[in-house]
Amino acid sequence: MELTPEIIEKLNKLQEKYTAMGQDMSAYLDGLLYADFLTYWDYIHLDTLLSLQSPKTPFPDEEIFIMYHQITELYFKLSLHEFKQVASHPSLTVAFFTERVKRINAYFNALTTSFDVMVNGMEKEQFLKFRMSLLPASGFQSGQYRMIEISATDFNRLIDKNKREELANASIEEQFEHIYWKYGATELATGKQTLTLKQFMNKYAEQFLQLIKEREETNFAALYQKFAADGHDVSKLAEELQYLDLFVNVEWPLSHYKSAVRYLERDPVDIAATGGTNWQKYLPPRFQKRIFYPFLWTKEQIDEWGKGWVISALKQSAKTK
């Protein structure tokens, strides 16, 4: 092979790079010479990935349940990767911010449009049997999902709606005691915290509090308002944030609501979720009124938040019975 001027130039640049680091370029070239060619399965650790499903029962549909939740967590990780890029950017621009929100919306679009896998992709009889082996584990315990919420908005917006005004000026620690999802993880009969919630808090509480403090000025709501106050054109960013608000606070929880209606609704008493969560009150957005960016919505839109979606889910449930 001929050493063209282009190859010689690249070798010289490599030499400069390794010399600046006090390294011997020839040793690194030896490494390239001896190394085997990379394969797709090694690069993405395919064999490891495909070995991560460990059902607790012999019911075949449990593997579907496991894999879909694993896929969900990977999409959450992708989303948090984008949140971090925005929050840590040394010279953030509206354009960069907007593009990263678009990416997150693409991830949540994939999640919400694929959730039929959970709604219709398992036999109800199998699900109601293998779910009992999962106690007290619950999708409620997704720490990454909570980190997405914390990164997306001012923390006050995640406080239980009945406490937001009262705790507007309270410390982060005090506000954290009244975060909305704690009220969804209470025993239906006694009102006490479920084991699911206790496990969750023991594992993640310190991480959540640290992230809340880190994102106080770099959550998406705060960054948007800063750009808007500085006179930037934020129209496209506002549109993407509205999509994000709907994906995370309406479409995603209601995808779960549809699944819960299919598998857990029963007359005269609904079946409890594995974590003991009050899914009938916890999942529908019209009850939680969780909105990341209220300044982007009209009063009428806020008043009607999620109502149409819940009605649609109930009608669909009635048709399939």
Side-chain angles (χ1 to χ4, degrees), residues 24-218:
D24 179 10
M25 185 183 76
S26 65
Y28 283 87
L29 291 177
D30 283 341
L32 285 174
L33 179 63
Y34 302 138
D36 201 356
F37 290 106
L38 186 64
T39 64
Y40 167 80
W41 48 89
D42 285 334
Y43 180 63
I44 67 167
H45 298 279
L46 182 61
D47 291 340
T48 300
L49 182 65
L50 298 181
S51 71
L52 295 177
Q53 295 76 47
S54 302
K56 304 299 181 186
T57 73
F59 298 105
D61 282 359
E62 187 185 352
E63 283 205 51
I64 298 171
F65 187 82
I66 293 170
M67 281 186 274
Y68 189 80
H69 281 82
Q70 290 176 335
I71 291 167
T72 295
E73 291 296 335
L74 288 173
Y75 272 116
F76 286 167
K77 186 173 182 178
L78 281 170
S79 297
L80 287 170
H81 180 65
E82 309 298 348
F83 276 107
K84 186 177 180 180
Q85 286 191 69
V86 172
S88 62
H89 199 289
S91 52
L92 185 65
T93 64
V94 173
F96 184 91
F97 190 178
T98 304
E99 286 303 313
R100 267 50 189 182
V101 182
K102 279 186 179 180
R103 291 184 183 182
I104 297 170
N105 287 337
Y107 304 146
F108 268 91
N109 181 59
L111 284 170
T112 55
T113 55
S114 69
F115 207 80
D116 274 352
V117 171
M118 290 294 292
V119 177
N120 299 311
M122 297 182 295
E123 291 182 9
K124 184 174 181 178
E125 294 75 14
Q126 286 192 44
F127 174 77
L128 292 177
K129 290 176 181 177
F130 75 67
R131 68 187 289 274
M132 301 313 296
S133 69
L134 312 181
L135 298 170
S138 167
F140 172 92
Q141 294 176 316
S142 172
Q144 289 196 117
Y145 184 72
R146 306 306 171 192
M147 292 174 190
I148 287 171
E149 293 180 313
I150 290 166
S151 299
T153 190
D154 292 322
F155 185 60
N156 180 262
R157 299 303 308 170
L158 301 180
I159 298 171
D160 178 74
K161 66 181 186 299
N162 298 317
K163 291 282 187 178
R164 285 176 196 160
E165 186 174 344
E166 176 187 339
L167 298 174
N169 298 313
S171 67
I172 294 296
E173 287 76 12
E174 187 176 355
Q175 290 180 334
F176 186 67
E177 291 303 310
H178 297 277
I179 196 166
Y180 83 90
W181 40 259
K182 286 188 179 181
Y183 295 90
T186 55
E187 294 177 358
L188 301 180
T190 65
K192 295 180 180 179
Q193 288 190 352
T194 61
L195 177 57
T196 299
L197 177 58
K198 292 175 182 177
Q199 290 176 328
F200 189 56
M201 294 300 293
N202 286 338
K203 179 170 178 60
Y204 288 113
E206 289 186 12
Q207 287 179 248
F208 290 158
L209 282 168
Q210 180 63 35
L211 185 62
I212 292 164
K213 293 171 183 176
E214 289 176 2
R215 295 289 180 265
E216 191 167 5
E217 296 182 2
T218 58

Side-chain angles (χ1 to χ4, degrees), residues 304-319:
E304 297 298 313
W305 189 257
K307 286 184 179 179
W309 289 87
V310 175
I311 293 170
S312 175
L314 289 171
K315 286 181 177 179
Q316 185 63 33
S317 171
K319 288 179 183 179

